[in-house]
């Protein structure tokens, strides 16, 4: 009985220690959500403006830029997967990887070979465990990404895309014909949705002037549209990647906050149950000891009366 009480109390201390950890992680994630949302909102105007400029430029230009033209015989498709570096964030990584697997199945059904570019240790571990080749990977910044991190990813993806599957890069590997981005969109503190979008060839909406169509700004292009496309399209791809990293960082913090709060609440329930069991075991132990004392006293009294 005493051993049972000791074991239950040790379990209570262990759960309390875990609860302190999950509570601390919940508070840290909560503090990061506001900053991550602020970064998303701060980056939105630039992303919207460069999209408008490229739409106007693509509409005014008849150039067949590599980032705008669908390749007829695409054979290799690059997939940039954005996951987290740490766990304890619920189904955040599982949802992203599930969307990646669905995209992989779709590309293979189209006769295209998926080529993985992975951000985050959880994604790297996922593909490494399944012995799938990873073209490039980046880790260590999933919760607090910077623009330089997006530039590093873009500097690997764009040369491979421009080279194409028919050519070879400097390291001898073949290029890619498409770039797909799998990340998580922050909708609210409760909802974070995995999203899949094609980054290249870019899907720019070409606007035709009609009576009901709002007039586009009257841009004067200098230098020529071709030179502008060469300069702006890589920046656009980098901006899209950076926006996805910021959105995923906010989603990761929100998912971690929810998961750690649930873990903290569950730990509190377990502590109550174990404490109740420990009290019941202690009461049973005391009752047993009292019964033994009373029984022993009665036996001594009976032995004394027999001697008399």
């Amino acid at each position: 009985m005493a051993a049972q009480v000791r074991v239950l109390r040790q379990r209570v201390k262990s759960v309390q220690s875990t609860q302190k950890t999950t509570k601390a992680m919940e508070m840290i994630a909560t503090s990061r959500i506001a900053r991550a949302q602020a970064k998303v909102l701060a980056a939105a105007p630039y992303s919207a403006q460069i999209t408008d400029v490229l739409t106007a430029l693509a509409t005014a230009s008849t150039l067949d830029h590599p980032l705008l033209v669908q390749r007829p015989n695409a054979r290799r498709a690059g997939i940039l997967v954005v996951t987290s570096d740490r766990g304890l964030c619920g189904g955040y990584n599982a949802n992203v990887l599930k969307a990646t697997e669905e995209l992989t199945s779709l590309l293979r059904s189209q006769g295209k070979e998926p080529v993985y570019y992975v951000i985050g240790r959880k994604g790297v571990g996922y593909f490494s465990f399944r012995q799938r080749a990873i073209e490039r990977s980046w880790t260590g910044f999933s919760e607090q990404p910077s623009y330089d991190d997006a530039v590093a990813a873009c500097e690997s993806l764009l040369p491979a895309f421009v080279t194409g599957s028919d050519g070879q890069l400097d390291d001898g590997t073949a290029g890619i014909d498409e770039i797909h981005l799998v990340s998580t969109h922050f909708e609210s503190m409760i909802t974070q949705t995995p999203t899949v979008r094609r980054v290249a060839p870019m899907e720019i909406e070409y606007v035709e002037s009609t009576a009901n169509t709002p007039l586009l700004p009257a841009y004067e292009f200098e230098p020529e549209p071709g030179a502008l496309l060469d300069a702006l399209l890589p920046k656009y791809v980098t901006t899209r990647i950076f926006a996805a990293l910021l959105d995923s960082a906010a989603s990761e913090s929100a998912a971690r906050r929810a998961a750690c709060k649930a873990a903290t609440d569950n730990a509190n329930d377990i502590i109550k149950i174990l404490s109740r069991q420990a009290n019941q075991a202690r009461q049973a132990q005391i009752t047993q000891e009292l019964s033994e004392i009373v029984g022993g006293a009665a036996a001594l009294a009976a032995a004394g009366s027999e001697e008399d």
Side-chain angles (χ1 to χ4, degrees), residues 17-292:
S17 177
T18 301
Q19 185 185 40
K20 290 179 180 178
T21 302
T22 56
K23 183 64 176 178
M25 294 185 68
E26 176 190 349
M27 296 175 65
I28 293 172
T30 302
S31 67
R32 285 179 174 172
I33 291 173
R35 292 197 297 269
Q37 285 182 286
K39 290 180 179 179
V40 172
L41 294 175
Y46 177 79
S47 179
Q49 191 63 40
I50 194 173
T51 301
D52 292 342
V53 171
L54 281 174
T55 299
L57 184 59
T59 303
S61 174
T62 58
L63 297 177
D64 292 335
H65 194 278
L67 281 175
L68 298 176
V69 179
Q70 178 73 35
R71 297 175 184 175
N73 298 317
R75 294 187 290 110
R76 284 166 56 89
I79 305 176
L80 178 61
V81 187
V82 182
T83 62
S84 69
D85 288 314
R86 298 190 299 150
L88 286 178
C89 49
Y92 170 80
N93 291 305
N95 293 333
V96 172
L97 294 172
K98 180 180 178 182
T100 303
E101 293 293 357
E102 292 174 354
L103 175 60
T104 298
S105 300
L106 176 61
L107 293 174
R108 284 176 175 165
S109 68
Q110 298 172 350
K112 301 172 185 175
E113 176 191 355
V115 182
Y116 299 107
Y117 297 80
V118 184
I119 294 176
R121 292 189 180 92
K122 292 300 178 180
V124 173
Y126 177 85
F127 290 105
S128 298
F129 179 77
R130 287 159 180 77
Q131 297 181 351
R132 297 188 191 177
I134 298 175
E135 193 72 15
R136 283 293 305 276
S137 63
W138 302 269
T139 60
F141 55 84
S142 68
E143 292 181 272
Q144 296 177 325
S146 66
Y147 188 76
D148 291 338
D149 299 321
V151 170
C154 189
E155 287 177 348
S156 293
L157 287 164
L158 275 183
F161 176 77
V162 173
T163 300
S165 59
D166 294 331
Q168 284 189 344
L169 298 171
D170 294 338
D171 58 2
T173 60
I176 55 179
D177 298 311
E178 295 177 356
I179 301 175
H180 298 267
L181 176 61
V182 185
S183 58
T184 306
H185 174 58
F186 178 87
E187 296 185 10
S188 67
M189 295 291 290
I190 305 299
T191 306
Q192 301 87 41
T193 306
T195 59
V196 179
R197 64 180 67 89
R198 194 182 74 184
V199 178
M202 296 172 54
E203 298 175 340
I204 293 182
E205 182 179 354
Y206 292 86
V207 180
E208 296 181 0
S209 298
T210 63
N212 299 324
T213 302
L215 293 176
L216 289 173
Y219 291 106
E220 292 184 3
F221 300 114
E222 184 180 347
E224 295 301 317
L228 284 174
L229 282 174
D230 288 337
L232 289 179
L233 285 173
K235 291 183 180 296
Y236 177 79
V237 174
T238 304
T239 300
R240 293 291 297 270
I241 295 175
F242 183 50
L245 291 178
L246 293 177
D247 213 5
S248 295
S251 300
E252 179 185 345
S253 295
R256 179 167 290 111
R257 176 188 176 278
C260 289
K261 185 179 185 305
T264 302
D265 295 341
N266 290 337
N268 191 50
D269 294 337
I270 293 174
I271 289 172
K272 289 180 179 179
I273 294 172
L274 292 176
S275 298
R276 188 180 301 115
Q277 292 176 351
N279 291 336
Q280 291 174 349
R282 178 58 180 162
Q283 290 173 358
Q285 180 184 0
I286 293 173
T287 301
Q288 181 180 355
E289 290 174 353
L290 289 175
S291 299
E292 291 174 354

